[in-house]
Amino acid sequence: MSLPPPSRPNAWQPIRSILEDIPGEYLTPLLAALARKPLEEWTQRDADNATRLFQGSLRETVENLGWDPDLLPTPQPTTASSPPHMPNGEQRTELPTIGISLLSPTSVTIRFAEPPADPDETRRILTRINANRDLNKIWTIEIRKEHIEDLRTLVKDNKLSVTPEAVAALKEAWNSSPAPAARPAPPAPPAAPAPLFPTPAPAQIPAVTVPPVERTNGRVSFTERGQILVKAAPTKPLVDALTRLSGLRWNDHMAGWLAPQSRLADIAAISETFGLTLEKEVEQALHDRTKPFVFNGTLEGLREIPLTALASVDAKKAERFADFGVENIFDALMLIPRRYIDRSSTQRIIDLVPGTDAAFIGKIDRINADAHRRMVRFDITDGSAKISLTYFNALWQAKRFRIGDQVIISGKVDEWVGETRRALQMANPMMDPLTQETLPIIPIYPQSDKSRVTTWDIHQAVKEILSRIGTIIDPLPPFIKERYNFMDRHDAIRIMHTPDTVQQTEDARTRLAFDELLCLQSALLMSKYGVESEQGIQHSLDNGMTEQFINNLPWPLTGAQDRVWWEVRNGLTASHPMHRLLQGDVGSGKTLVALLTLLSAVESDHQAALMAPTEILATQLYNELVERTEGILTPYGEALKIVLVTNKLRGKARQAVLDGLADGSINVAVGTHALIVGDVNFRSLSAVVIDEQHRFGVEQRAALRAKGPEGIRPDMLVMTATPIPRTAAMTVFGDLDVSVIDEMPPGRTPIKTSWIDKAPDLDGMFGEPWDTIRREVDKGHQAYVVCPLVEESEKMQAANATETCEELREGALYGLRLGLVHGQQKPEERGEIMNQFRNGDLDVLVATTVIEVGVNVPNSTIITILDCGRFGIAQLHQLRGRVGRGRAESECILVGRCTSQDSRSRMEALCASTDGFYLSEVDLELRGHGSLFGTAQSGVSDLKVADLNTDKKLLDVARRAAEEALALDPNYANSPELKQEIIAMLGESAEAWLGKS
Ligand code: ADP
């Protein structure tokens, strides 16, 4: 039993053990009394008194606590020979080892031998009569007339002794007036007279005048429309059992109960219990629908069996499952329970704490469906307290249940607080029937209200699948399984859905998540090894060019630049092709490594190309290369020939460049997409650098690479200025070698970031961020103003930026020299304005996101981003990277109202940190892995079990295991099933993988 978490843990601790020994009958009102005073309001005295609780008499203690002792039930003295199980300790007597004894005037306890004679049947009965089990495996049962027949069966089957007090109490109950009907039942069918009940009362449940018997006459057949028809004498136990099945209806015309075919298995079970006869075609259908599937043991084989092959899933339900993304039995098996509920330790309603997630078992006391407001309310009790559940827009929920049903509920507990009382409640929790077949550990699946697939539907389908599939093959190379101590795949699947203990489930999930990650990592590595096995160019860097370049720099390389250059250098000088991702935060100095890579090609008597996504960026990189290589000569003693190739290059000038590239007289081409046009050819392209690689498609990168010598793959360095979380780098870019510059050049002053949570005022000349901009301009510095993001079109974006610029010119930034850049300008026009800004002829550059990357004007010390809530973290971080490039202190001011919690979190993260890697992790957390660029082709979205947020370590293990396995068996020739799974998992995208550049 668990108690509400105490506000002062120690206050509760001493009494917990005492409380656990108290029979439920007494504990309930006591706890109810305790609960009346919120724990926070406990004084030391309360705690002390509680500690003494039950050391004196119950009544005394309760009086000590200042509570009303009348809340307690009055224990009824019973015969001296066997006093009941009293709470005051001294009078307790030994219970019979196995048997029934009186617990209170209204309840008995049952203790079974372990295991009971017929465990299944026993469990069925215990569930039926709402028995509660305590920690000592003693069952408590309310003495009710309708339970007595079941108790008799238990006594008979298990050879239980019954104490005389219990016998007396049961007898008394038996002779009392007829029990009220537990739940409404269908009318007794006039066409099938009930011989056991001489005077059947139509339209209500027959009065119990003689003990009901279990066997009854009846037949089960199919109707013409394929429904199941049950015709039988309506004995109470049968009616009871049948009405528990959802989807079952009484049909006057047929004079029997009708059920959909999906209920076949349940009805067959009931038929067996009650001795109903199954007609031949029913027998046959039952046989057909329970026989094992023919399948080859692979996951692919599971995918081939549609969900409709299951007896528990009819066409309608299959549609709902399909809505939910589950089409075959593989999909169903890969639905991972969100949590598990251990039936032996569920919470009691009285212990539920508002605001927390809870799982508990209770009984439906009342169902109130309000069709008008499309709302259903259930009252649930478990003997300890009551809770009400409300479902909105889900009238169908009312049809699933009947009063008296035992249900299992999980969800968030709320509290309704009125003036004089409080009540527990839940909105739209998960609720499912608890049936005889319910396992001791109940898996709770993610369910969808929209497609109306309940955890129970999934549970049933999965259970049927497991009983019909035979063994699933384990494709894992045995040495991997042993080395990392993984359980067998079949066991993992079974345990995940039908665990014996909750502890096992994590190991099972780990195994299945590992399989997915192993497939992913294997595919990536195979692709990587594929590239490496191609013919590459072995650069030789002993002509001193790269060395001279480094020596010419005004400062030494940072430690990170040095390390990364060493890694890249090794790749360049190796005989197989290099395929490397270079990542580093904005301003970390990636450009130098890129330029060094270009020079390496020239140093080895080859050519190099650098492709950037925008002209601004390409021009800037071109300028930097030209500047930094001044005075450096080629191995032939010639000046370096570097060209800029953009769409601006036309006519004769272009032809000259084409000729120079083709005959090898031009050493390096820096450019935009214009580089990959068909007639651009190189004599000997050996190194390719792609900046901002994610702005290019697979084909574009491949097109540039294809301009190398016939049959030889140039070395390739792809760069990204957007730091990528490690898990993403290992999945999205797992087929590349990765180098990371994780250190900033020295002397940077960190950028101060602030956020003004209101709409910017473009007219007013005072106030922030305009005051700060003016102040900085007065100091001789420059500023950027980034215009709001307009999603609709580039054109709208440009129009909006133009308008913003005009307003600022006339309003907030009146008197300053403003320039405007946006994506709709002609490249020349934009280049001209950029030049003016770079030369200091403009104070403020009003811009769209065209300045996001690459723009490097160290004199700019302030950037303000308007309507910041519309930008993502990565983009804001990139934009912020435009400042802080010089020695002066820089500032970023984000302006804009953020209404969503997500956008507020984004702004807060940016204000708190300038570390791009940290921000990328925050971004990932806020947006989820599905949002990573390029993930559609990455296979990350195929992960059903693994979760990259929580399985980071497992991802490392999978990478290592894939390396080990592929080292022994490079093509998985000895693990054909594994290979098949890799292809199946990545599907069509496998090709994209394998061809990804
Ligand atoms: P990234 O491309 O990673 O955003 P850049 O290569 O543009 O960064 O470098 C940012 C700034 O740092 C540039 O102005 C560059 O000249 C300067 N820088 C690069 N490496 C160093 C270094 N080792 N020491 C000092 N400054 C450096």
Side-chain angles (χ1 to χ4, degrees):
M1 154 168 331
S2 63
L3 295 163
S7 45
R8 288 188 313 268
N10 294 339
W12 270 105
Q13 219 41 50
I15 61 166
R16 181 182 283 258
S17 60
I18 303 172
L19 291 178
E20 278 174 359
D21 278 332
I22 308 303
E25 208 68 16
Y26 293 98
L27 193 56
T28 301
L30 181 76
L31 284 180
L34 286 176
R36 207 146 299 184
K37 184 166 187 179
L39 281 178
E40 305 80 73
E41 287 171 33
W42 274 40
T43 59
Q44 184 58 45
R45 185 169 157 264
D46 293 328
D48 292 344
N49 282 335
T51 319
R52 285 211 308 276
L53 196 61
F54 297 112
Q55 286 177 0
S57 82
L58 180 62
R59 174 166 284 269
E60 196 182 302
T61 313
V62 166
E63 278 168 352
N64 271 345
L65 282 167
W67 291 325
D68 180 4
D70 289 336
L71 285 170
L72 296 171
T74 331
Q76 305 244 320
T78 45
T79 49
S81 60
S82 178
H85 195 52
M86 290 294 282
N88 51 8
E90 298 111 42
Q91 293 177 38
R92 263 181 225 167
T93 53
E94 276 302 303
L95 291 165
T97 15
I98 59 167
I100 297 189
S101 51
L102 195 65
L103 171 65
S104 78
T106 55
S107 63
V108 289
T109 58
I110 311 183
R111 207 179 251 226
F112 291 102
E114 281 285 7
D118 177 352
D120 284 346
E121 176 60 11
T122 303
R123 194 164 60 199
R124 247 196 298 278
I125 295 177
L126 289 171
T127 311
R128 184 152 64 219
I129 56 182
N130 300 346
N132 272 321
R133 200 186 76 169
D134 70 12
L135 289 172
N136 298 320
K137 300 191 181 168
I138 301 174
W139 297 85
T140 315
I141 292 153
E142 218 179 310
I143 300 178
R144 281 169 59 171
K145 190 161 184 167
E146 60 266 35
H147 292 162
I148 291 177
E149 199 51 38
D150 284 322
L151 283 174
R152 225 174 248 174
T153 312
L154 289 177
V155 167
K156 200 167 78 214
D157 290 354
N158 289 282
K159 303 196 171 49
L160 301 176
S161 61
V162 188
T163 62
E165 299 77 22
V167 172
L170 292 169
K171 254 193 194 150
E172 193 186 330
W174 183 253
N175 293 329
S176 64
S177 59
R183 64 179 63 79
L196 284 170
F197 302 107
T199 47
Q204 52 175 269
I205 196 153
V208 180
T209 49
V210 289
V213 294
E214 291 219 333
R215 299 264 143 184
T216 180
N217 294 327
R219 299 189 80 75
V220 180
S221 58
F222 285 137
T223 64
E224 273 171 17
R225 296 168 64 190
Q227 285 172 303
I228 307 169
L229 174 65
V230 182
K231 284 183 159 205
T235 61
K236 170 128 189 356
L238 176 66
V239 170
D240 232 23
L242 287 174
T243 47
R244 261 172 209 287
L245 294 181
S246 64
L248 192 95
R249 300 261 171 289
W250 170 256
N251 184 298
D252 269 338
H253 178 65
M254 298 279 202
W257 288 270
L258 285 179
Q261 286 239 356
S262 58
R263 287 276 163 234
L264 192 58
D266 294 320
I267 290 185
I270 292 177
S271 303
E272 203 182 329
T273 312
F274 293 92
L276 308 182
T277 317
L278 301 183
E279 302 236 311
K280 236 205 193 120
E281 71 263 25
V282 179
E283 284 269 18
Q284 186 60 42
L286 197 65
H287 176 73
D288 287 350
R289 309 189 95 195
T290 50
K291 69 180 181 206
F293 291 123
V294 180
F295 113 109
N296 60 5
T298 66
L299 298 189
E300 201 44 31
L302 292 175
R303 282 198 183 88
E304 279 162 13
I305 303 174
L307 217 54
T308 41
L310 298 177
S312 53
V313 178
D314 57 15
K316 252 200 200 146
K317 211 186 252 184
E319 257 171 50
R320 287 195 259 129
F321 265 107
D323 266 0
F324 194 47
V326 177
E327 310 218 329
N328 52 51
I329 67 174
F330 170 78
D331 294 342
L333 286 179
M334 288 302 130
L335 289 171
I336 308 303
R338 283 194 310 138
R339 57 195 292 199
Y340 296 89
I341 297 177
D342 188 341
R343 276 184 72 182
S344 62
S345 62
T346 53
Q347 284 169 285
R348 292 167 59 104
I349 294 176
I350 197 157
D351 297 331
L352 300 180
V353 180
T356 60
D357 264 339
F360 57 93
I361 292 171
K363 196 177 77 184
I364 298 183
D365 230 21
R366 208 162 71 102
I367 303 179
N368 192 348
D370 180 344
H372 182 60
R373 287 159 64 196
R374 307 200 53 74
M375 203 177 88
V376 188
R377 201 181 119 152
F378 294 91
D379 284 351
I380 309 289
T381 56
D382 67 351
S384 74
K386 190 184 91 173
I387 184 165
S388 54
L389 319 182
T390 312
Y391 292 85
F392 301 96
N393 279 325
L395 284 178
W396 58 280
Q397 287 278 17
K399 299 198 191 118
R400 287 179 66 209
F401 300 101
R402 316 227 162 149
I403 290 171
D405 278 357
Q406 285 278 325
V407 285
I408 177 136
I409 294 154
S410 87
K412 188 161 172 221
V413 180
D414 276 335
E415 192 178 33
W416 172 86
V417 183
E419 289 213 338
T420 53
R421 62 187 194 95
R422 305 158 165 246
L424 291 173
Q425 60 181 23
M426 292 171 104
N428 294 318
M430 223 153 52
M431 171 156 73
D432 277 299
L434 197 65
T435 70
Q436 300 93 309
E437 308 129 55
T438 311
L439 301 161
I441 310 281
I442 303 166
I444 303 294
Y445 293 93
Q447 63 181 4
S448 152
D449 274 349
K450 206 169 115 248
S451 50
R452 290 215 220 147
V453 173
T454 66
T455 181
W456 189 244
D457 292 333
I458 300 170
H459 186 62
Q460 270 189 317
V462 164
K463 244 175 64 176
E464 185 186 340
I465 295 170
L466 288 176
S467 71
R468 294 179 65 186
I469 50 171
T471 305
I472 299 171
I473 293 173
D474 197 332
L476 213 54
F479 84 95
I480 297 283
K481 204 166 126 188
E482 254 166 54
R483 179 166 306 173
Y484 298 100
N485 203 11
F486 285 119
M487 69 167 71
D488 190 73
R489 173 181 278 177
H490 187 92
D491 292 341
I493 290 180
R494 183 187 57 77
I495 288 172
M496 198 171 65
H497 296 293
T498 55
D500 301 320
T501 67
V502 177
Q503 290 77 357
Q504 299 174 320
T505 58
E506 190 43 37
D507 284 348
R509 198 202 66 86
T510 301
R511 164 65 214 258
L512 299 177
F514 173 79
D515 286 2
E516 289 185 339
L517 296 174
L518 181 76
C519 279
L520 192 59
Q521 289 303 324
S522 299
L524 290 162
L525 284 172
M526 282 163 129
S527 155
K528 180 171 181 306
Y529 297 159
V531 170
E532 287 170 4
S533 68
E534 283 180 40
Q535 174 72 41
I537 293 164
Q538 194 167 5
H539 291 89
S540 62
L541 302 182
D542 31 48
N543 279 311
M545 285 178 74
T546 42
E547 209 179 310
Q548 196 185 344
F549 178 91
I550 295 171
N551 290 338
N552 282 2
L553 292 173
W555 8 254
L557 293 183
T558 63
Q561 281 171 322
D562 202 35
R563 172 175 47 77
V564 166
W565 168 232
W566 189 80
E567 288 167 3
V568 173
R569 206 186 137 91
N570 281 343
L572 289 164
T573 54
S575 59
H576 58 77
M578 174 177 83
H579 194 189
R580 183 170 289 273
L581 171 73
L582 172 58
Q583 56 162 331
D585 210 342
V586 209
S588 61
K590 295 181 291 294
T591 312
L592 286 189
V593 179
L595 301 187
L596 278 163
T597 306
L598 300 176
L599 273 193
S600 306
V602 186
E603 189 167 350
S604 313
D605 196 18
H606 292 287
Q607 291 164 294
L610 185 158
M611 183 160 72
T614 65
E615 201 181 308
I616 295 184
L617 200 51
T619 310
Q620 197 153 295
L621 288 164
Y622 168 80
N623 288 336
E624 186 163 355
L625 181 62
V626 171
E627 220 172 275
R628 296 218 184 277
T629 53
E630 217 182 295
I632 298 179
L633 301 180
T634 69
Y636 299 107
E638 294 164 353
L640 269 172
K641 274 190 88 178
I642 307 168
V643 291
L644 178 65
V645 181
T646 66
N647 288 331
K648 249 197 284 183
L649 189 65
R650 298 227 173 91
K652 275 195 187 146
R654 180 165 190 269
Q655 193 53 51
V657 165
L658 293 190
D659 293 344
L661 290 172
D663 67 19
S665 56
I666 294 175
N667 307 109
V668 182
V670 177
T672 57
H673 297 80
L675 274 175
I676 50 175
V677 177
D679 60 351
V680 179
N681 288 303
F682 291 77
R683 183 182 70 86
S684 175
L685 181 66
S686 73
V688 169
V689 177
I690 311 249
D691 195 14
E692 290 294 299
Q693 61 78 34
H694 63 277
R695 300 256 190 121
F696 294 100
V698 175
E699 306 78 33
Q700 290 170 322
R701 292 183 302 224
L704 185 55
R705 197 185 56 214
K707 296 198 180 280
E710 190 77 17
I712 299 177
R713 202 177 164 114
D715 285 336
M716 181 135 147
L717 183 72
V718 300
M719 307 207 292
T720 172
T722 308
I724 302 164
R726 214 178 78 79
T727 49
M730 276 181 72
T731 47
V732 183
F733 297 103
D735 54 343
L736 274 61
D737 289 312
V738 180
S739 287
V740 183
I741 300 189
D742 50 6
E743 177 189 341
M744 286 290 184
R748 298 285 168 84
T749 42
I751 304 166
K752 196 179 118 197
T753 304
S754 56
W755 166 37
I756 302 173
D757 186 9
K758 63 175 193 213
D761 174 12
L762 304 183
D763 300 329
M765 284 182 57
F766 302 103
E768 290 299 354
W770 321 119
D771 289 350
T772 310
I773 291 182
R774 286 175 182 283
R775 205 165 47 240
E776 284 300 303
V777 170
D778 281 348
K779 283 192 223 157
H781 293 146
Q782 290 163 286
Y784 298 98
V785 175
V786 180
C787 299
L789 199 59
V790 184
E791 311 273 351
E792 286 80 8
S793 73
E794 284 276 331
K795 242 190 180 145
M796 297 270 296
Q797 175 90 30
N800 183 278
T802 311
E803 203 174 301
T804 307
C805 185
E806 282 315 308
E807 281 183 48
L808 288 173
R809 204 177 295 212
E810 302 298 322
L813 296 178
Y814 181 77
L816 301 187
R817 295 171 300 166
L818 267 56
L820 169 71
V821 288
H822 60 69
Q824 292 283 296
Q825 285 163 325
K826 289 227 173 69
E828 302 86 60
E829 189 188 345
R830 196 164 58 222
E832 176 54 33
I833 295 167
M834 284 306 302
N835 269 337
Q836 288 177 10
F837 187 65
R838 207 171 285 125
N839 297 336
D841 298 335
L842 295 172
D843 302 315
V844 180
L845 189 66
V846 180
T848 59
T849 49
V850 291
I851 60 152
E852 194 180 335
V853 284
V855 171
N856 187 13
V857 181
N859 190 46
S860 313
T861 52
I862 170 147
I863 183 164
T864 177
I865 301 167
L866 307 180
D867 209 357
C868 53
R870 289 174 161 254
F871 296 85
I873 285 192
Q875 215 169 10
L876 289 171
H877 180 63
Q878 283 298 325
L879 287 167
R880 175 167 65 178
R882 295 313 102 214
V883 298
R885 299 188 151 245
R887 298 220 158 247
E889 223 166 87
S890 292
E891 194 171 340
C892 168
I893 306 179
L894 306 165
V895 187
R897 277 208 57 70
C898 292
T899 40
S900 77
Q901 185 49 48
D902 262 15
S903 57
R904 301 185 75 84
S905 306
R906 288 204 296 274
M907 299 313 131
E908 279 155 16
L910 277 153
C911 291
S913 171
T914 52
D915 177 347
F917 284 94
Y918 164 77
L919 290 172
S920 74
E921 299 281 353
V922 174
D923 199 18
L924 196 61
E925 233 158 74
L926 288 176
R927 298 197 301 160
H929 277 86
S931 64
L932 283 170
F933 46 84
T935 40
Q937 64 173 52
S938 73
V940 171
S941 49
D942 293 316
L943 300 177
K944 287 170 184 274
V945 187
D947 175 349
L948 293 178
N949 279 324
T950 49
D951 287 324
K952 290 182 187 167
K953 276 207 184 113
L954 195 63
L955 184 64
D956 285 331
V957 174
R959 177 78 171 193
R960 210 161 55 233
E963 281 168 356
E964 289 162 355
L966 283 168
L968 288 180
D969 183 11
N971 255 318
Y972 283 153
N974 300 329
S975 304
E977 292 98 4
L978 189 55
K979 191 170 185 168
Q980 183 55 39
E981 276 174 31
I982 294 169
I983 295 168
M985 175 181 173
L986 298 174
E988 283 163 21
S989 61
E991 288 198 346
W993 264 125
L994 300 172
K996 200 173 105 181
S997 54

